[in-house]
Amino acid sequence: MKVAFCSSEVFPFAKTGGMADVAGALPFALAKQGCEVKVFMPLYKGIKPRENFTDYGVTRKEGVEFFFIRNDKYFLREYLYGTGRGDYSDNLERFSFFCRQALSIIKKIVFPAQIIHTNDWQTALMNVYLKSEPIFGDSFFKNTKSVFTVHNLAYQGVFDKSKYDKLGLAEKYFNDRYLEFYGRINLLKGGLIFSDMITTVSPTYAKQIQTVDYGCGLEGVLREKRSRLLGILNAVDYDVWNPSRDKYIYKPYCPATIKDKYENKRRFQKELGLKVSRNTLLLGMVSRLASQKGVDILQESLDCILRRCQVVVLGFGDEKYHKSLKKKAVKFKDSFSLHLKFDESLAHRIYAGSDCFLMPSVFEPCGLSQMISYKYGTVPIVYHTGGLVDTVADVEAGGGGFVFDNYSVGDFIATVERAVELFSNKDDGLKLIKRIMNYDFSWKAAAVQYMEVYKKCRCWR
Ligand code: ADP
């Protein structure tokens, strides 16, 4: 199977969240299943080498080719999509350019892709272009099917209709059966409508997005296409996330050398300037700072949680959260360590050095952090939603995390207190840690399911 995999972020080249982790791992897992995969992404600032790249550049890694599409006016910027104050105003121009250019390169290099697999609104237009003039009818793509993966339905790529002519699409597609959404252009909607198969990143989220509560206005479209919608659970790249060979942490460890996890905790507390204490629970959080991630509930609970625990937050995002969290960090400087940036290395030390990981997400398409945490023996504390339902069962039900079912400050605090309680018994804590470290959320199972999806859409006309 020949697959062109297109994503606006791919780890380790560019990352703001989980989609980059997926795009940096799934292509290799697909290659192991016998696929020929070429990955397409923008050439952002900081990606090297770039000097010899003209319209695009190529690098090869473990059997997968990476194509970086160059346009310095659009992609040579400080951030991928926008600043803390908001999105870049020309995102439609930037990503529609990317989509057209990716298709033209696929044709130029004569890559007879059987599947074009796109991800979220940034690449959704590729699915649209494949089924609309002038590309539709181009014999080069006549055997190409498209798969569209929704990583987060809340980000839809919505733009003013005055920009429609920049898309190069016929006027007839600007109506509510296609790209129009309440008078505006909605790129994600286009991806849903024009793709042969839609996937999303967990089975529970696949069901939830067909409801008014989670569908972000697109539940009707998703219900209509439900026979072509499937939830495939994301996974973790254990070459990247593995405490037994992690270059960013203080001391490697595995289930047989758990005491070294505590060496990581000790030295990490020191690094953060927190009191060094094995018995004080250290709660970590690594997250985009967006309302989705439960930053509000975290802030409201902090005063109470910090009476018994230490908390370290690494996050970047909405400026309003930067401001309010900074105030908390001043107020609780002995027990709350705040880092407002994107920092891969620090993220690893948080997963390794914390006892528990906080994920009070309001909604969560899949979530990777809870699965990464397991590998590091760090117990996730999560709200019962989306992919967290599929990956975290409560310890009381034999699972490996602490789960709260009612989204309230009280229930969140009570759940953190259950964790404190369990860890107050060292043996119980150790047993739990060892158990979760042995969970297997590797990419193979997902890659096999994606292969099935590819085969299935090849049978459709
Ligand atoms: P989402 O994709 O919604 O942001 P996920 O849980 O699926 O959330 O994936 C988040 C990924 O991004 C994880 O790999 C997490 O460690 C990483 N991450 C999030 N924020 C930061 C940050 N500020 N610094 C470093 N890594 C981060």
Side-chain angles (χ1 to χ4, degrees):
M1 189 82 71
K2 292 182 172 24
V3 180
F5 191 94
C6 309
S7 173
S8 59
E9 49 185 278
V10 180
F11 181 83
F13 306 110
K15 167 168 168 176
T16 66
M19 186 166 81
D21 290 313
V22 173
L26 178 59
F28 295 106
L30 289 168
K32 284 192 189 130
Q33 296 300 310
C35 272
E36 181 182 345
V37 191
K38 295 191 196 302
V39 178
F40 293 81
M41 69 171 291
L43 182 70
Y44 296 110
K45 191 176 174 184
I47 297 178
K48 291 202 163 73
R50 60 186 307 124
E51 292 68 30
N52 303 328
F53 293 178
T54 49
D55 291 357
Y56 67 93
V58 191
T59 55
R60 203 180 166 79
K61 196 176 143 195
E62 293 161 37
V64 174
E65 262 182 329
F66 292 83
F67 287 72
F68 301 94
I69 294 179
R70 182 166 194 169
N71 182 325
D72 289 354
K73 181 174 128 209
Y74 286 151
F75 301 126
L76 198 62
R77 297 193 184 171
E78 205 50 43
Y79 300 102
L80 269 52
Y81 313 123
T83 66
R85 277 191 209 96
D87 291 344
Y88 291 132
S89 60
D90 59 352
N91 274 347
L92 176 137
E93 289 87 334
R94 297 171 76 220
F95 290 101
S96 61
F97 165 81
F98 174 83
C99 291
R100 283 190 298 271
Q101 188 72 343
L103 287 168
S104 99
I105 293 168
I106 290 169
K107 188 169 172 181
K108 186 168 162 189
I109 61 170
V110 200
F111 180 53
Q114 291 155 302
I115 299 290
I116 290 185
H117 186 160
T118 61
N119 296 277
D120 276 359
W121 70 265
Q122 296 90 339
T123 46
L125 273 170
M126 292 180 74
N127 309 58
V128 179
Y129 289 139
L130 277 169
K131 288 249 175 72
S132 53
E133 305 80 15
I135 288 185
F136 187 64
D138 180 332
S139 62
F140 183 78
F141 290 107
K142 75 174 187 301
N143 291 321
T144 306
K145 301 287 180 180
S146 79
V147 173
F148 181 54
T149 296
V150 177
H151 295 260
N152 195 335
L153 197 65
Y155 300 91
Q156 301 184 353
V158 174
F159 300 94
D160 194 83
K161 70 173 182 211
S162 60
K163 293 202 165 198
Y164 188 78
D165 60 349
K166 298 191 194 272
L167 298 178
L169 288 168
E171 204 54 50
K172 65 179 178 187
Y173 297 121
F174 190 70
N175 70 55
D176 66 1
R177 281 176 47 225
Y178 299 107
L179 270 74
E180 188 193 340
F181 187 69
Y182 299 104
R184 309 187 79 199
I185 305 164
N186 185 323
L187 299 183
L188 186 122
K189 183 181 174 192
L192 296 176
I193 286 175
F194 284 92
S195 60
D196 293 296
M197 188 82 192
I198 304 163
T199 69
T200 187
V201 288
S202 72
T204 296
Y205 194 59
K207 281 188 221 137
Q208 286 181 328
I209 56 178
Q210 296 178 54
T211 66
V212 177
D213 286 350
Y214 292 89
C216 305
L218 292 174
E219 59 278 0
V221 177
L222 286 155
R223 271 202 303 269
E224 235 168 74
K225 289 205 70 165
R226 65 182 174 277
S227 64
R228 294 183 177 220
L229 167 66
L230 183 72
I232 300 178
L233 193 67
N234 278 341
V236 177
D237 184 345
Y238 291 132
D239 287 334
V240 176
W241 299 108
N242 195 333
S244 66
R245 48 189 148 89
D246 186 326
K247 62 174 191 246
Y248 296 120
I249 68 175
Y250 285 109
K251 194 162 185 192
Y253 62 97
C254 65
T257 55
I258 279 297
K259 64 170 191 338
D260 291 335
K261 177 171 172 64
Y262 288 101
E263 178 63 11
N264 278 287
K265 177 175 174 182
R266 196 180 66 75
R267 290 169 69 176
F268 190 46
Q269 282 172 320
K270 218 167 167 193
E271 173 186 328
L272 300 178
L274 297 173
K275 189 177 134 211
V276 174
S277 155
R278 169 153 176 186
N279 293 334
T280 308
L281 224 56
L282 175 57
L283 312 175
M285 183 163 175
V286 180
S287 180
R288 286 185 294 110
L289 295 180
S291 62
Q292 176 207 338
K293 298 294 183 180
V295 188
D296 295 289
I297 212 172
L298 173 81
Q299 295 187 134
E300 286 171 50
S301 324
L302 259 184
D303 297 43
C304 184
I305 290 174
L306 290 171
R307 280 187 216 135
R308 296 180 73 183
C309 305
Q310 299 169 337
V311 173
V312 50
V313 171
L314 167 62
F316 191 79
D318 285 0
E319 241 169 45
K320 70 168 186 189
Y321 292 129
H322 287 214
K323 274 195 197 138
S324 51
L325 282 168
K326 263 189 209 161
K327 281 190 192 147
K328 297 276 183 198
V330 171
K331 187 169 169 198
F332 298 106
K333 59 180 185 315
D334 296 332
S335 50
F336 178 42
S337 178
L338 177 67
H339 308 266
L340 297 172
K341 57 182 173 176
F342 196 94
D343 186 335
E344 195 63 27
S345 149
L346 180 57
H348 283 247
R349 287 195 299 290
I350 292 180
Y351 287 112
S354 307
D355 298 287
C356 294
F357 191 91
L358 300 176
M359 271 184 106
S361 306
V362 182
F363 69 94
E364 193 56 83
C366 177
L368 294 176
S369 297
Q370 77 281 18
M371 294 185 271
I372 296 171
S373 296
Y374 282 147
K375 189 70 183 169
Y376 285 78
T378 302
V379 185
I381 298 177
V382 309
Y383 176 55
H384 185 78
T385 185
L388 299 171
V389 174
D390 300 320
T391 51
V392 187
D394 196 273
V395 285
E396 281 174 15
F402 296 95
V403 182
F404 60 109
D405 294 317
N406 294 313
Y407 203 80
S408 69
V409 172
D411 279 30
F412 179 49
I413 292 172
T415 309
V416 171
E417 277 168 0
R418 281 203 290 127
V420 174
E421 191 62 31
L422 185 137
F423 274 95
S424 66
N425 181 323
K426 257 189 194 161
D427 286 346
D428 287 352
L430 284 175
K431 250 188 249 158
L432 177 58
I433 291 174
K434 279 191 189 159
R435 185 148 52 83
I436 62 177
M437 285 183 82
N438 285 314
Y439 287 176
D440 182 5
F441 285 99
S442 49
W443 270 103
K444 186 175 172 198
V448 169
Q449 291 179 72
Y450 278 108
M451 288 297 282
E452 289 302 315
V453 166
Y454 296 163
K455 283 182 201 148
K456 198 165 164 189
C457 54
R458 300 221 24 88
C459 301
W460 281 322
R461 290 192 342 107

